[in-house]
Amino acid sequence: MRTAYPRLWRPDRIGRTVAWGLLCTLIACSLGCGTDEAGPPTEPGRAIATVGDVRFSLPTMHQVVVEHRTADGWGDPRVVFEDRSRECGTVHALAAGPTVAATVGCDDHFAVDQMPTRSVALISTDGRTWTHRDLDGETPGTIGLSPRGGHAVWAQGDDLLTWEAGSFRTEPGPQGSAQVVTVDDAGTILGAGVGISQGRCAVEIRASEAKLTQAVVPVARSGQLQCHDIGLWLATPSEIQGDVSGQPGTEFVVRRTGAGGWILTARPPITAPGLAVYPENPDRAVWNQVTSNTGGDLVAVGSPDRRHVTAQRYDRSRQEWTPSLVVHEARTATCRRRLDDSGLLQGASFRLRLICDGRPIVLRSDDGATWTKQSPS
């Protein structure tokens, strides 16, 4: 594979850059090698990833630009990777203290619906000096970083790329089916997947080196969630998040403990206390639908008897549902969903369209706490 280097170099770094390139050739690595300070000032693009005090943009499909947070906002945009022979379209990043690690999704011709095959790993321990390596084969963007920032790992092709103390090397992939690959402060590679343990959906975390299960974290009874459809991702070096195919109310959080274990810190809202369950028969009730708006408010709206329309809000701090509040009462038990409506619609505000007493109505709310009735437009 061709070795790719950033295009913009500082003159006082030329000797060091050449030496580093020769070292890569001598060890016959198939990964692009490059270590340099960020390039000269440039114009950033629209921010597509922000972690810690660093944010990334792609002003063109051939450049990765980093900006730094200052007291006056974001500034000092610099090119940290450039290659005109490939197109880049995504950035996934994590931060632990001053260390920032990222995966830049690239390909000969980048397409959002295809797994990139010429991606790049980027890492910096100070936000100024960046090291990059080409990733081998298909790369889903999965990246792991230890809580103290001393180790990093990237998923690539059939194996892993790891980083420690300024050095890269390849490692075997994790044992079993791992959706998340990360690393602890001792440098142990960890793989996290989903299984069923004692009748419960559980996040299973295994240490690759010992091939032992490090932790099994129950999430919910298997009847409450579709275990096999749960997706996981690493939100921070110490936090794994998951949900069922992106469905509102199924999201949960598993975190590292100070002792190196893992615990469930936020359960799926649909399994939390207080959520009303209405009959599934549409001749008797309107199903209690759980959904969220763009502000992160989570509500459940339905009718237990087709006459009283109720709403509940999820209290994330207490991890429980508020009592059902009647937000509309029809004259008779006739409320039903409109045939052309898929249910509770959300955006910046909630909107529920119903037919009650033979007339269409629209219930709206900004946050799920206060609802108004409107005539359909």
Side-chain angles (χ1 to χ4, degrees):
M1 179 182 292
R2 175 187 52 78
T3 301
Y5 298 93
R7 179 169 170 266
L8 303 176
W9 303 102
R10 282 179 42 176
D12 61 336
R13 293 285 177 175
I14 292 178
R16 178 179 174 182
T17 301
V18 172
W20 186 250
L22 290 174
L23 176 59
C24 292
T25 302
L26 290 173
I27 63 176
C29 68
S30 62
L31 308 171
C33 301
T35 303
D36 65 295
E37 297 214 2
T42 187
E43 288 296 321
R46 179 179 60 86
I48 61 174
T50 302
V51 290
D53 292 329
V54 170
R55 74 178 183 182
F56 296 83
S57 66
L58 298 170
T60 75
M61 297 189 75
H62 309 289
Q63 282 185 333
V64 181
V65 169
V66 160
E67 297 172 89
H68 298 88
R69 193 193 308 271
T70 68
D72 299 322
W74 294 95
D76 192 28
R78 304 274 175 160
V79 176
V80 296
F81 177 77
E82 183 172 14
D83 184 355
R84 297 195 176 278
S85 71
R86 72 182 99 183
E87 296 179 350
C88 303
T90 59
V91 177
H92 300 278
L94 291 174
T99 301
V100 178
T103 300
V104 184
C106 306
D107 215 328
D108 292 325
H109 301 287
F110 183 84
V112 295
D113 59 345
Q114 297 179 5
M115 192 80 73
T117 61
R118 296 187 61 198
S119 297
V120 178
L122 281 173
I123 193 162
S124 172
T125 57
D126 58 9
R128 303 289 175 180
T129 302
W130 292 82
T131 302
H132 75 268
R133 292 292 185 278
D134 286 347
L135 292 169
D136 185 22
E138 292 187 343
T139 51
T142 301
I143 177 176
L145 186 62
S146 62
R148 296 181 182 176
H151 303 266
V153 58
W154 291 262
Q156 61 168 10
D158 297 325
D159 56 21
L160 305 172
L161 175 70
T162 62
W163 173 90
E164 176 186 3
S167 298
F168 288 90
R169 65 180 181 181
T170 57
E171 300 279 356
Q175 298 291 317
S177 177
Q179 295 188 40
V180 168
V181 179
T182 188
V183 60
D184 63 20
D185 285 323
T188 302
I189 303 297
L190 304 174
V194 177
I196 299 178
S197 175
Q198 298 181 348
R200 300 177 69 86
C201 303
V203 175
E204 300 176 346
I205 299 169
R206 294 184 175 87
S208 293
E209 294 179 0
K211 299 182 181 179
L212 297 175
T213 300
Q214 186 184 72
V216 176
V217 184
V219 174
R221 296 195 307 272
S222 58
Q224 294 177 302
L225 293 180
Q226 297 171 312
C227 300
H228 298 295
D229 293 330
I230 290 176
L232 303 176
W233 63 94
L234 196 67
T236 74
S238 297
E239 181 178 293
I240 295 174
Q241 296 183 4
D243 64 25
V244 178
S245 304
Q247 298 175 27
T250 65
E251 60 274 13
F252 61 87
V253 177
V254 173
R255 290 186 59 87
R256 296 180 195 254
T257 66
W262 296 81
I263 61 172
L264 181 71
T265 57
R267 64 180 130 198
I270 63 171
T271 70
L275 180 61
V277 178
Y278 297 156
E280 296 182 2
N281 186 344
D283 292 330
R284 296 177 53 201
V286 177
W287 63 289
N288 204 22
Q289 182 184 356
V290 176
T291 194
S292 60
N293 62 6
T294 53
D297 300 303
L298 192 67
V299 302
V301 183
S303 175
D305 55 9
R306 296 186 61 197
R307 181 177 181 184
H308 300 88
V309 180
T310 65
Q312 297 176 266
R313 299 179 71 247
Y314 186 65
D315 186 334
R316 295 188 185 278
S317 63
R318 303 178 66 177
Q319 297 194 38
E320 62 183 37
W321 291 90
T322 62
S324 296
L325 174 69
V326 176
V327 296
H328 175 71
E329 182 175 356
R331 291 193 301 269
T332 58
T334 58
C335 290
R336 61 174 175 81
R337 296 185 184 277
R338 285 176 44 169
L339 296 178
D340 61 347
D341 192 8
S342 61
L344 184 64
L345 304 179
Q346 74 276 5
S349 61
F350 299 103
R351 184 184 69 196
L352 177 64
R353 298 188 294 180
L354 296 171
I355 303 292
C356 291
D357 299 321
R359 297 180 179 180
I361 65 169
V362 178
L363 299 176
R364 294 181 183 271
S365 176
D366 290 334
D367 58 6
T370 303
W371 293 78
T372 60
K373 183 178 71 173
Q374 300 174 348
S375 298
S377 55

